[in-house]
């Protein structure tokens, strides 16, 4: 998504902000029209993985809105060593039939033939569309997902749907609900294999604290995910039965021009962010700090939103 959403740990289910990626979190918030086209670039793993995100929204009529997002992720120069193993066993001599020969594993004493190493690319192209309409004081939304995934000579097509709802109250509190991947999201590979993403249900809450004297707004937000199928490495058990994930964030806004953000993910990753708003352009920056041993989530995002005019 964009840098603002990422720095708030994707917890903006009930936070109606003018951000290019808000509809991906809750399709009901596609009604937040900001007349800007958002461009986001992300680079990870020392530049090996690059992602691009382009999004905009548009009002169809006085009560209907639509959001469109294009997503791309690519990894180039991945080494394929499947045909490079000299699988000759621990003694490194072919035909002796010692332990490890022809077992398909790089054992001690074996080696790879560098001349037989080939390289391939992985690319994912996604299209996300969301539409929302008001209904009895609520804003309801539907999100559709399409995916094209290529991996070397193989390819896959995927699709899925999200449903969202949002309601704002006069005391500054907002709530949001999202049903993700209904009935499930699926990716079908050219060899017939199917990857399924089970459904999940998310609840979000936001409350505005505004200090008029200082023109400062503080926006704490929270998100609670209920996993429908099985727990993940980052989930906890509610009542020893229901797997849940908790995330949250806070955004401080000064004069609607300067933004300071922070968020925490279920994995323990901590996110920080900054934003600057002008009349025709917005710049947002996010930095993710992974507290796990692997540290794979340390990366930067920058989003530039430019007026469609």
């Amino acid at each position: 998504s964009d840098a603002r959403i990422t720095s708030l740990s994707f917890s903006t289910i009930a936070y109606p902000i003018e951000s290019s990626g808000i509809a991906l979190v809750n399709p009901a918030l596609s009604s937040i029209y900001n007349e800007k086209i958002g461009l986001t670039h992300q680079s990870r793993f020392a530049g090996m993985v690059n992602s691009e995100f382009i999004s905009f929204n548009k009002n169809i009529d006085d009560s209907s809105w639509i959001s469109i997002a294009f997503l791309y992720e690519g990894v180039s120069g991945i080494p394929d060593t499947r045909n490079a193993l000299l699988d000759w066993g621990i003694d490194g001599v072919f035909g002796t039939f010692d332990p490890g020969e022809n077992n398909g594993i790089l054992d001690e004493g074996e080696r790879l033939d560098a001349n037989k190493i080939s390289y391939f690319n992985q690319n994912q192209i996604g299209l996300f569309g969301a539409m929302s309409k008001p209904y009895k004081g609520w804003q309801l939304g539907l999100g559709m997902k399409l995916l094209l995934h290529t991996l070397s000579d193989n390819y896959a097509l995927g699709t899925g749907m999200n449903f969202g709802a949002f309601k704002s109250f006069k005391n500054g509190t907002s709530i949001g609900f999202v049903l993700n991947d209904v009935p499930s999201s699926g990716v079908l590979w050219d060899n017939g294999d199917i990857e399924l993403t089970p459904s999940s249900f998310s609840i979000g809450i936001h409350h505005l604290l505004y200090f008029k004297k200082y023109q400062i707004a503080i926006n704490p937000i929270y998100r609670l995910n209920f996993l429908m199928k099985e727990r993940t490495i980052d989930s906890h058990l509610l009542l020893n039965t229901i797997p849940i994930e908790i995330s949250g964030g806070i955004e401080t806004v000064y004069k609607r021009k300067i933004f300071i953000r922070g968020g925490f993910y279920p994995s323990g990753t901590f996110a920080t962010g900054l934003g600057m708003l002008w009349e025709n352009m917005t710049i947002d920056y996010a930095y993710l700090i992974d507290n796990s041993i692997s540290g794979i989530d340390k990366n930067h995002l920058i989003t530039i939103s430019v007026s469609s005019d």
Side-chain angles (χ1 to χ4, degrees), residues 119-136:
Y119 296 87
F120 64 95
N121 300 330
Q122 185 257 156
N123 297 282
Q124 296 187 73
I125 300 174
L127 173 64
F128 181 87
M131 184 176 181
S132 63
K133 290 180 71 71
Y135 179 75
K136 293 185 178 182

Side-chain angles (χ1 to χ4, degrees), residues 187-303:
V187 177
L188 174 63
W189 286 90
D190 56 338
N191 63 356
D193 288 345
I194 298 176
E195 298 178 19
L196 293 177
T197 300
S199 302
S200 63
F201 180 67
S202 300
I203 300 175
I205 187 170
H206 158 252
H207 183 73
L208 170 64
L209 301 172
Y210 184 65
F211 302 92
K212 186 176 181 180
K213 180 179 178 181
Y214 304 103
Q215 299 187 56
I216 294 177
I218 299 177
N219 298 277
I221 55 175
Y222 303 94
R223 174 175 179 167
L224 178 63
N225 288 347
F226 295 88
L227 308 181
M228 299 295 189
K229 188 176 181 181
E230 57 188 16
R231 64 181 304 181
T232 67
I233 194 173
D234 300 320
S235 63
H236 304 277
L237 288 179
L238 178 65
L239 303 176
N240 294 321
T241 305
I242 305 173
I244 62 172
E245 295 177 344
I246 302 174
S247 60
I250 187 169
E251 180 177 64
T252 301
V253 185
Y254 177 65
K255 291 186 177 181
R256 288 186 52 85
K257 298 293 183 183
I258 302 174
F259 303 81
I260 301 175
R261 310 175 183 115
F264 64 90
Y265 285 79
S267 62
T269 297
F270 182 71
T272 60
L274 296 172
M276 294 288 292
L277 172 65
W278 293 273
E279 182 179 358
N280 295 313
M281 184 174 68
T282 305
I283 297 179
D284 293 300
Y285 167 77
Y287 177 54
L288 274 65
I289 306 169
D290 186 7
N291 294 319
S292 66
I293 297 176
S294 59
I296 61 174
D297 282 338
K298 291 184 178 179
N299 56 89
H300 307 262
L301 288 89
I302 185 168
T303 297

Side-chain angles (χ1 to χ4, degrees), residues 129-162:
M131 184 176 181
S132 63
K133 290 180 71 71
Y135 179 75
K136 293 185 178 182
W138 287 78
Q139 194 70 28
L140 304 180
L142 168 66
M144 292 290 297
K145 299 178 283 187
L146 298 175
L147 176 73
L148 170 63
H149 190 172
T150 64
L151 183 66
S152 187
D153 296 328
N154 302 106
Y155 65 90
L157 297 174
T159 185
M161 291 190 300
N162 294 348

